[in-house]
Amino acid sequence: MRQYTKKDISKEELEKILEVMRYAPSGHNAQPCEYIILKDREMIKMISDLTIQSFRSFRNLMRFRKLLKPFVSKSLYEIMDSKSTALGMEDMIQRYASGEDVIFFDAPAVILVHVPDMGGLSYVDSTIAATYGMLAAHALGIGSCWMGFAMMAATKNKKLFKTLYIPKGRLIAGIFTLGYPKNKFHRLPVRNPVKATWSIGAVS
Ligand SMILES: Cc1cc2nc3c(=O)[nH]c(=O)nc-3n(C[C@H](O)[C@H](O)[C@H](O)COP(=O)(O)O)c2cc1C
């Protein structure tokens, strides 16, 4: 959901969403997630700016992709070599420069999840909690969208950590928007057929 009405999300609604996130399961029931609720336009813009800055840096890296090929994974190289990545990124940079919020889509609220840095595992608890929050929002008639680009740019950004008082040793491991939907969806986006391998043992 990327198009929102101007209607604000009340503190009560946000608290209901956070209350559901509080019940999300976590490894060892460690409950490592902490949340920052952003409604401040300037703060949201700061994250959009650094996300667009990360696009510019990535665009520069893409110019040297042939040189970088031996040092990056095959999948990252494919992203760097893809015409659609280059065009999509350029389009977002241009639209942002002309004043369009291509990162947060003018969402009235954004929730940011931070957790202790535990390497690859860091993202599991936060992703479960954020998904709980997004489903709770849906139940309240509020739309949401995962913000992967912003999360990648923000995850360890020192300036942002300082501004948001996030302690050292933690990671921003989930960001999603919240807003009342402008449009009604009549169907889900198309999905591929399920890919599943069944190992069901001997059948009598
Ligand atoms: C991990 C993850 C990262 C995403 N990052 C972004 C993002 O940065 N910007 C955006 O507009 N949508 C983002 N999305 C939304 C996906 O594009 C969207 O979920 C997908 O197109 C499927 O649509 P649906 O969620 O409405 O079924 C992200 C989704 C996921 C799961």
Side-chain angles (χ1 to χ4, degrees), residues 114-178:
H114 62 92
V115 290
D117 185 352
M118 299 180 294
L121 267 185
S122 313
Y123 294 88
V124 179
D125 294 334
S126 58
T127 303
I128 296 171
T131 304
Y132 266 50
M134 293 169 83
L135 292 172
H138 179 73
L140 296 169
I142 296 169
S144 63
C145 188
W146 257 103
M147 295 287 102
F149 291 137
M151 186 189 77
M152 282 192 291
T155 194
K156 287 184 181 178
N157 187 279
K158 283 195 182 126
K159 189 176 160 208
L160 186 64
F161 271 50
K162 214 169 161 191
T163 313
L164 295 175
Y165 301 102
I166 301 176
K168 271 190 186 150
R170 296 184 71 87
L171 285 181
I172 295 175
I175 305 183
F176 61 96
T177 57
L178 290 169

Side-chain angles (χ1 to χ4, degrees), residues 29-95:
N29 194 22
Q31 304 174 52
C33 299
E34 291 186 26
Y35 308 107
I36 298 180
I37 295 84
L38 297 171
K39 295 183 81 183
D40 171 350
R41 297 320 309 168
E42 256 182 57
M43 201 65 90
I44 295 175
K45 186 174 176 306
M46 183 186 164
I47 306 179
S48 307
D49 284 348
L50 67 91
T51 307
I52 293 292
Q53 187 49 48
S54 77
F55 288 175
R56 290 205 194 93
S57 307
F58 193 69
R59 183 178 60 180
N60 293 340
L61 268 185
M62 282 170 79
R63 295 199 181 113
F64 299 103
R65 63 188 180 283
K66 295 251 152 45
L67 282 173
L68 292 169
K69 195 174 178 182
F71 308 103
V72 299
S73 67
K74 189 168 173 266
S75 53
L76 179 57
Y77 182 78
E78 278 168 11
I79 293 171
M80 291 174 119
D81 197 38
S82 133
K83 274 246 150 43
S84 67
T85 308
L87 290 172
M89 214 166 257
E90 198 56 49
D91 180 55
M92 284 175 88
I93 292 171
Q94 297 301 331
R95 279 161 53 204

